[in-house]
Amino acid sequence: MNKRIALTGVSVAVGSLLLIGSAYAGLGDAPGYDAYKSAVKETFAVQNVTKQMKVTVNDNGTKLLDVQSTVKADKAKNEMSAEINLSGGGANQGVSLYRQDGKQIVKASDNDVYNIIEGKEWKGKAGEHRGQAPDGISAEVENVVDALVGNLKDYVTLSPQADGTKNIAMQLNGSQIPAVANAIGSLVVKQAANAEEHRGDMQGPFGDKFQGLHDSMPKLTQDVKIDKFDLAAKVNADNRIEKQQMTLTISGKDAQGVAHEVVVAADFGLSNFNGTTPDHVDLNGKQVKTIDVKKHGE
């Protein structure tokens, strides 16, 4: 079984949060929007940075997932290292990731094997996305987002501080959330619930640990809607986003008609701007396994 699919719930939770957060970032002409967009562009322009992230998922008040990670990324060198710890569904798992010397490397904390991910198609797609990572946001994207969200700009607040930093916040509830965002969020959640499982050698790095995590995530299929979205960002004196917190509340019913309220909370921190060096792993003398991703997910 391909254990990447066992992380569907995680991907949807985080993906939905980032999708809605990104959409709401382009809210039209307003001081809060202008300040936030300027900070996003300045942050994207940084060549290397350390990112810390914590994500939790709660269903009807019960914690299902806790993810904590530290990522060191260098765009100029196309290098990255990450330490990720996940707990939920009766599983606790640490994962180390590296992108170095043109290789993608994955290692589970309870396994001595370093998995080198290969596959021309996979590398090409990843390379395309990295190549498109902008130092700014295109005017076309800004125009589309502005048109979609309309007067949501009125909900963005800007609070300049005496030390040159800025606090930017947004809170949306119920009818304040536009229909297009609800439709997108519902589609993403439903697609995750219907995701097919694939088989392949990718089970190697993680064994069966993530199956419990996958099974514990709620599969919402009916009456899915976004109830609430909160964003709070701290912009430093250099006009870079230093901290950002987002909370997304989704409600719906599963296939058995049981009601769920899922709360996804993410806390991001960025530091060591243009002073970060990703960690490297020396594979000499290590157990190494090469995985061709063209065999999986086709």
Side-chain angles (χ1 to χ4, degrees), residues 206-239:
F206 308 114
D208 294 323
K209 279 196 171 184
F210 286 152
Q211 186 59 47
L213 173 58
H214 174 262
D215 293 342
S216 72
M217 301 302 291
K219 314 299 189 296
L220 306 184
T221 60
Q222 310 171 51
D223 304 326
V224 181
K225 63 186 178 72
I226 300 170
D227 295 318
K228 186 177 180 182
F229 175 78
D230 293 335
L231 178 146
K234 179 78 171 182
V235 179
N236 66 20
D238 293 322
N239 200 34

Side-chain angles (χ1 to χ4, degrees), residues 152-201:
L152 283 177
K153 63 185 180 183
D154 297 332
Y155 296 101
V156 184
T157 61
L158 170 64
S159 302
Q161 305 298 301
D163 59 359
T165 64
K166 306 178 187 73
N167 294 329
I168 300 172
M170 180 177 190
Q171 295 182 332
L172 295 174
N173 296 278
S175 61
Q176 295 172 340
I177 299 172
V180 64
N182 248 318
I184 293 172
S186 298
L187 179 62
V188 171
V189 172
K190 290 177 180 178
Q191 287 296 320
N194 295 327
E196 295 182 0
E197 304 255 353
H198 299 280
R199 296 182 180 275
D201 294 337

